[in-house]
Amino acid sequence: MRIDILTLFPGMFTGFLEGSLLGAARAAGLVDVRVRDIREFAEGPHRQVDDRPYGGGPGMLLMPGPVVDCVEAVQAEADAGRVVMLTPGGRRLDQALVEQLAKFERIVLVCGRYEGFDARIRETLDADEISIGDYVLSGGEVAAMVIVDAVARLLPGVLGHEASADQDSFSGADRLVEGPQYTRPREFRGLAVPEVLLSGDHGRIARWRREQSVAATSRRESASQTPFQRSTS
Ligand code: 6GU
């Protein structure tokens, strides 16, 4: 799979692309991630990429020219691919959407900055818009990293265990979160590993894990309705 990331802040991606799982996947040729600087496509002595919104209002918008030229330049390098603009008003990312994105041969991620994009960018490029959640980031770069990370680990050969991606939280038909897991030692500060996990009875272990997973999923649903606070037990 090839992923192009278009941004005004290419430097933000350097450490990220080298990171352990993604760095190894790139080195193995499993995913090709390239970063392009939108400002390369800006014109004039100031290489301007943003301007004030018509009709007034706060902040600056990305101008259509440099963004559309940059997308078209990367599209000319290989087949066009899906264009995805990262914006807080886009479709909310979840694991089901990540799974769909992972099926494309190629995606082009366009990071917004300032107060957003000129509306004609989406129209011209026939782009989709994705948000990573209902809160506001100062730009789409972190969101692009979230998408690349979540998508790359689903590509064949990226995870050590082929099986491990379908054991993840939010995977599978029921989209449950994982329940608690334990490693050594068998007892830590008076807290013992549940006996069932030491039983060697794989049927019982699978049933227990499923119950824990269902319980963790419903606890999470109710927690999201209440104010965030430190739990006391
Ligand atoms: Cl994709 N961009 C920005 N600026 N804020 C966000 C977002 C994206 N997703 C959630 N918040």
Side-chain angles (χ1 to χ4, degrees), residues 99-134:
E99 287 166 12
Q100 290 177 47
L101 292 171
K103 293 191 178 116
F104 289 106
E105 266 316 301
R106 177 145 201 242
I107 51 178
V108 178
L109 301 176
V110 188
C111 303
R113 274 272 146 177
Y114 313 105
E115 303 300 314
F117 297 96
D118 182 290
R120 294 166 293 185
I121 297 173
R122 194 195 55 72
E123 219 181 308
T124 307
L125 298 171
D126 186 31
D128 291 308
E129 296 182 305
I130 294 179
S131 157
I132 61 165
D134 292 350

Side-chain angles (χ1 to χ4, degrees), residues 86-88 130-133 135-140 143:
L86 300 170
T87 152
I130 294 179
S131 157
I132 61 165
Y135 41 80
V136 182
L137 301 169
S138 52

Side-chain angles (χ1 to χ4, degrees), residues 28-39:
L30 299 170
V31 59
D32 179 9
V33 185
R34 303 185 195 199
V35 179
R36 286 301 287 263
D37 188 348
I38 295 168
R39 200 175 292 276

